[in-house]
Amino acid sequence: MTELTPSQMQFEAQLSLSRLLPRMDHVWNLHEVDVELRNEFNLRLQQHWEELFGLLFRLYGSRYDFFFHLEEILRTAVIAWAKRPAELRTVDRQRINQPDWFLSEKMVGGALYVDLFSENLTRLREQIDYFQQLGLTYLHLMPLFAVRPGDNDGGYAISNYRSVDPRLGTLEDLKALADDLRAAGIRLVLDFVFNHTADDHDWAQNAQAGDLEYQQYYHIFPDRKIPDQYERTLREIFPTVRRGNFTWHDGMQRWVWTTFNSFQWDLNYHNPAVFRAMAEEMFFIADTGVDILRLDAVAFIWKQMGTSCENLHEAHLLIQAFNRLARIATPGLLFKSEAIVHPDEVVKYISTKECQLSYNPTLMALLWESLATREVKLLNRSLSHRHQLPSNTAWVNYLRCHDDIGWTFDDADAAALGINAYDHRQFLNRFFSGQFRDSFARGIPFQENLSTGDMRIAGTLASLAGLELAIEQEDEQAKELAVRRMLLLQGISLSVGGIPLLYLGEEWGMLNDYDFVKDPAKAGDTRWVHRPKMKWEFLEGMPDDVEVGGAPIHQRIFRSLRRMILQRQATPAFGGQTMQLLNSENPHVLGFVRSRDSHRVIVLANFSEQPQQVAGNVLRTAGLGRFFYDSLTDQTIRTSAPVALEPYQLCWLARE
Ligand code: GLC
Ligand code: GLC
């Protein structure tokens, strides 16, 4: 890698820009862009160019053709702004002025599969009322682009980023939906699956046809020599699919790098043409009306011999370079990182210069861990030094998603509490796959690795929280406890800080669906157990009043959750960025304080099925006087005596 001092870099950056700018004139002219729009772009370019140049220089500066690629990348950005729809440019301008627009108690997200939830995009447009009723302001549609035939990893094996899967609709349908969502105040989130393409993407097909240019888009090897060298330091992500990270391609008579399924070919970002080409796809997706791009599998995008090829420094440089391009050409667009890795690595993707948002896999895993152990010490410890984020960034908190649960907590956090991480993961896997005596959970194993003992867990929120077993055993008390567990976790996700994200179906307590094994394209992937088809019949006959007692269980879950969401949205303290832990002096009770300006709320969460107490002075020292009002039960609580918590009770306490 070529080293330049900061001032040399600055000089090179300005020099290159002064050379490149005049060469963009014909692009502007070709697209008939007026002077005002050009100036707007150029202003942002001036602001971000030095950084973009620096990032690209560090990635590709040692190549003889660096300046050629630099020019191509700049041209891609110019064209993107030139083609940007006028209504999205308006959104861009608003967000430049309000970069923290997503930090609000009003933000609540939902994620769904278009086919499983609504069948297609047109039907989905008719369900906007439903999302509003639930209080959603952010909607993540699982990948809906054209996919390969047969198994497509739930949409993550994309054969064309510019066309919608015809079973779901057309690009026009997507844009119409995006317009309707925008009008309804709901932000649209789509995936940017940029680590790999499907094996039938044009680029991969060209590579298969022997086109050398496109073979360099992927990591392709004539024999096992190099793959074997890499394998020494690689993990296996989908070990039940195939051992190792490479797949033999008969047609090419070559090995291809495939981190995930054998039909998902990892892109080669050592090649700047790949970076440019994917930037073009990114801009195309953004222009359908996307507010937030979910950056899929960020950890894997850069490979280096002798390393794990995960979370490498260059992966961050790449994402930052995409981010700079977005700031220049589609400035309203945010990134959300999907890094399901060690917590120390997860946070490295989060900054205004990289991903403003990130899934919070550690919180997710530790909430489940606390349910299993009935103790909050590991959760508490992790929150104490891992929750705070830089300003103008946020966690996306979730309990379940379309993927499995992996126990990604930090071994040292566990060790400090006398917990052996390896044994603990074994316990959690047994607990959540129902193999542990007295476990309430009904999960199933995902990607069990017989050589390492690793395994992850699949299952819906309701099935993991005990509802499936309770219904099967017709045990009313167990049902009650299961519902409380679900609401407890939801309540924490709604109040701990960040954007809560429901995986739709959760609002009804949808159970595992074991029928996936009947579909050969799904049978090999147990994550399908927690991807059930929405049952709209749950909604039928639901009275409008807010009284929840007495309703059938699925309606009760829906209405309790909706009530909590509305309460979150009426609680300004939940939109702030500070969270302070509160030592509840009770091993089963998590406590924290959320505050913002003069607003202050204490959250208490009992993770045990036994009643618990928290001493009144604990709450008084948290600064709220002698009376509290619990907005979840509408009750006033006196702190002169210990505060009693029912099994799995959650309280949101504010000063009366
Ligand atoms: C992401 C997705 C997951 C998929 C993988 C490969 O992690 O969430 O569902 O299998 O990437 O695209
Ligand atoms: C691994 C990957 C993550 C992916 C998941 C799918 O955890 O880190 O990106 O979503 O596997 O199971």
Side-chain angles (χ1 to χ4, degrees):
M1 195 183 291
T2 328
E3 292 292 341
L4 289 186
T5 66
S7 63
Q8 282 171 328
M9 192 78 96
Q10 203 177 5
F11 176 78
E12 289 292 335
Q14 287 309 332
L15 184 66
S16 67
L17 189 59
S18 62
R19 283 186 185 147
L20 291 177
L21 266 186
R23 304 169 69 110
M24 296 301 131
D25 282 345
H26 78 280
V27 188
W28 293 124
N29 294 338
L30 199 69
H31 292 272
E32 298 176 0
V33 178
D34 65 39
V35 177
E36 224 170 301
L37 281 178
R38 293 182 196 196
N39 288 345
E40 223 182 320
F41 178 93
N42 284 336
L43 197 70
R44 297 197 299 264
L45 189 61
Q46 288 291 352
Q47 250 168 34
H48 301 291
W49 179 256
E50 273 179 25
E51 283 184 47
L52 177 64
F53 179 90
L55 291 161
L56 295 173
F57 190 85
R58 276 178 280 168
L59 287 161
Y60 305 119
S62 58
R63 293 177 61 108
Y64 75 92
D65 54 358
F66 173 65
F67 286 96
F68 164 77
H69 289 288
L70 194 64
E71 180 170 348
E72 292 296 297
I73 290 166
L74 176 58
R75 180 174 297 113
T76 302
V78 168
I79 295 173
W81 179 246
K83 289 188 175 167
R84 184 92 166 140
E87 64 277 16
L88 298 182
R89 288 199 193 115
T90 307
V91 177
D92 288 334
R93 292 177 191 119
Q94 288 161 357
R95 295 206 176 140
I96 291 175
N97 293 324
Q98 203 203 338
D100 62 350
W101 62 270
F102 55 95
L103 298 176
S104 159
E105 66 279 8
K106 303 281 190 274
M107 286 291 282
V108 175
L112 59 84
Y113 286 92
V114 176
D115 56 342
L116 298 173
F117 193 82
S118 327
E119 266 175 69
N120 57 42
L121 290 166
T122 311
R123 296 278 299 273
L124 190 65
R125 281 175 74 190
E126 293 158 17
Q127 272 135 12
I128 292 180
D129 274 357
Y130 175 81
F131 304 132
Q132 285 184 311
Q133 193 191 358
L134 201 52
L136 302 189
T137 61
Y138 155 136
L139 191 65
H140 172 208
L141 304 181
M142 299 299 296
L144 41 70
F145 299 103
V147 284
R148 71 192 293 281
D151 188 355
N152 56 47
D153 191 19
Y156 285 96
I158 296 176
S159 34
N160 185 348
Y161 299 86
R162 299 182 186 217
S163 71
V164 167
D165 181 338
R167 289 166 291 196
L168 306 178
T170 62
L171 262 184
E172 280 57 49
D173 297 336
L174 175 59
K175 288 181 185 166
L177 172 68
D179 288 344
D180 288 0
L181 288 173
R182 193 169 324 113
I186 299 176
R187 280 42 167 227
L188 176 62
V189 187
L190 289 184
D191 278 85
F192 182 39
V193 183
F194 70 131
N195 174 70
H196 46 265
T197 71
D199 56 358
D200 70 344
H201 188 284
D202 270 352
W203 303 337
Q205 289 198 19
N206 292 342
Q208 286 160 41
D211 186 328
L212 292 179
E213 185 187 336
Y214 286 99
Q215 292 196 349
Q216 285 170 24
Y217 270 47
Y218 301 95
H219 300 271
I220 296 177
F221 308 93
D223 53 43
R224 285 296 310 183
K225 191 165 158 256
I226 310 263
D228 283 341
Q229 286 172 23
Y230 275 116
E231 285 289 12
R232 282 182 211 139
T233 50
L234 295 181
R235 264 202 306 161
E236 296 175 284
I237 305 302
F238 285 172
T240 64
V241 162
R242 157 216 73 231
R243 298 319 301 260
N245 288 270
F246 300 85
T247 299
W248 174 251
H249 191 272
D250 255 342
M252 289 190 299
Q253 291 285 302
R254 279 183 164 45
W255 291 92
V256 186
W257 198 312
T258 55
T259 300
F260 296 94
N261 289 287
S262 295
F263 49 78
Q264 289 162 303
W265 289 21
D266 287 50
L267 286 162
N268 176 12
Y269 281 97
H270 291 258
N271 176 0
V274 170
F275 174 80
R276 195 211 56 79
M278 278 315 287
E280 210 176 297
E281 304 309 293
M282 173 178 89
F283 290 137
F284 185 89
I285 298 170
D287 281 354
T288 60
V290 174
D291 296 284
I292 301 170
L293 277 182
R294 172 193 182 277
L295 268 54
D296 183 60
V298 289
F300 302 92
I301 57 177
W302 191 267
K303 332 281 190 198
Q304 196 67 60
M305 182 68 79
T307 73
S308 66
C309 298
E310 286 183 49
N311 308 307
L312 296 182
H313 178 61
E314 287 81 355
H316 293 282
L317 300 182
L318 274 168
I319 301 167
Q320 287 168 27
F322 281 119
N323 176 308
R324 290 301 91 184
L325 280 179
R327 296 282 71 69
I328 293 167
T330 53
L333 187 69
L334 293 190
F335 289 173
K336 174 175 70 163
S337 152
E338 189 250 349
I340 314 303
V341 290
H342 188 280
D344 290 346
E345 299 298 336
V346 174
V347 295
K348 291 185 189 159
Y349 295 93
I350 311 173
S351 78
T352 53
K353 305 228 148 149
E354 203 164 326
C355 297
Q356 298 86 349
L357 298 170
S358 165
Y359 281 99
N360 193 348
T362 320
L363 176 69
M364 183 274 291
L366 290 179
L367 287 171
W368 289 106
E369 188 269 350
S370 300
L371 273 189
T373 60
R374 279 80 164 168
E375 291 198 349
V376 299
K377 59 185 177 190
L378 193 51
L379 175 59
N380 216 41
R381 183 176 173 88
S382 181
L383 282 173
S384 74
H385 66 124
R386 300 186 181 282
H387 192 69
Q388 193 62 46
L389 290 182
S391 60
N392 291 353
T393 66
W395 289 115
V396 173
N397 297 317
Y398 65 113
L399 307 171
R400 293 299 298 113
C401 68
H402 68 289
D403 278 332
D404 46 285
I405 304 179
W407 308 109
T408 56
F409 59 81
D410 174 45
D411 290 10
D413 279 351
L417 301 165
I419 299 171
N420 174 304
Y422 181 85
D423 294 348
H424 202 51
R425 289 193 180 96
Q426 299 288 320
F427 156 71
L428 291 167
N429 280 330
R430 284 188 12 249
F431 187 91
F432 284 103
S433 56
Q435 296 166 45
F436 190 78
R437 191 169 46 88
D438 288 343
S439 165
F440 49 76
R442 270 290 171 84
I444 59 175
F446 176 67
Q447 298 299 333
E448 188 164 11
N449 187 332
L450 296 173
S451 35
T452 60
D454 268 356
M455 153 178 157
R456 279 116 76 189
I457 294 290
T460 65
L461 173 70
S463 290
L464 293 176
L467 192 61
E468 186 177 324
L469 193 64
I471 289 179
E472 200 174 283
Q473 299 181 335
E474 295 179 22
D475 180 337
E476 290 307 315
Q477 207 202 334
K479 281 190 208 169
E480 173 66 29
L481 292 178
V483 171
R484 289 186 183 203
R485 286 186 198 104
M486 295 162 63
L487 295 173
L488 175 75
L489 295 200
Q490 294 286 12
I492 295 172
S493 170
L494 285 164
S495 60
V496 73
I499 302 175
L501 176 61
L502 309 182
Y503 176 53
L504 290 187
E506 267 170 16
E507 72 280 26
W508 299 103
M510 300 255 321
L511 303 179
N512 285 349
D513 178 357
Y514 298 95
D515 277 352
F516 72 96
V517 293
K518 294 181 191 154
D519 181 342
K522 296 181 174 173
D525 189 330
T526 56
R527 288 174 298 175
W528 286 103
V529 83
H530 56 240
R531 299 170 182 174
K533 201 166 152 53
M534 170 69 182
K535 291 190 176 149
W536 286 98
E537 53 272 27
F538 284 148
L539 251 174
E540 279 163 26
M542 188 162 68
D544 276 338
D545 57 89
V546 283
E547 192 52 57
V548 290
I553 196 152
H554 296 289
Q555 295 190 354
R556 193 188 137 199
I557 295 166
F558 179 86
R559 297 161 90 181
S560 308
L561 181 58
R562 185 178 59 177
R563 192 165 173 276
M564 278 204 282
I565 292 172
L566 295 180
Q567 190 57 45
R568 163 190 159 95
Q569 292 175 326
T571 309
F574 291 161
Q577 280 204 301
T578 49
M579 189 278 300
Q580 246 182 322
L581 285 170
L582 176 70
N583 181 359
S584 72
E585 296 171 9
N586 179 326
H588 311 288
V589 179
L590 177 73
F592 55 86
V593 185
R594 297 299 316 284
S595 51
R596 179 188 188 183
D597 307 327
S598 60
H599 306 282
R600 202 172 161 84
V601 175
I602 294 184
V603 177
L604 292 179
N606 175 9
F607 274 81
S608 116
E609 62 265 73
Q610 305 298 327
Q612 298 296 331
Q613 288 193 341
V614 174
N617 69 327
V618 166
L619 300 177
R620 283 198 302 277
T621 45
L624 289 177
R626 293 174 50 222
F627 294 99
F628 291 91
Y629 175 71
D630 178 8
S631 59
L632 290 177
T633 54
D634 281 334
Q635 276 173 3
T636 299
I637 294 179
R638 301 160 63 90
T639 56
S640 50
V643 173
L645 295 172
E646 287 183 29
Y648 297 121
Q649 190 180 349
L650 173 79
C651 305
W652 287 347
L653 303 172
R655 199 197 281 271
E656 255 237 307

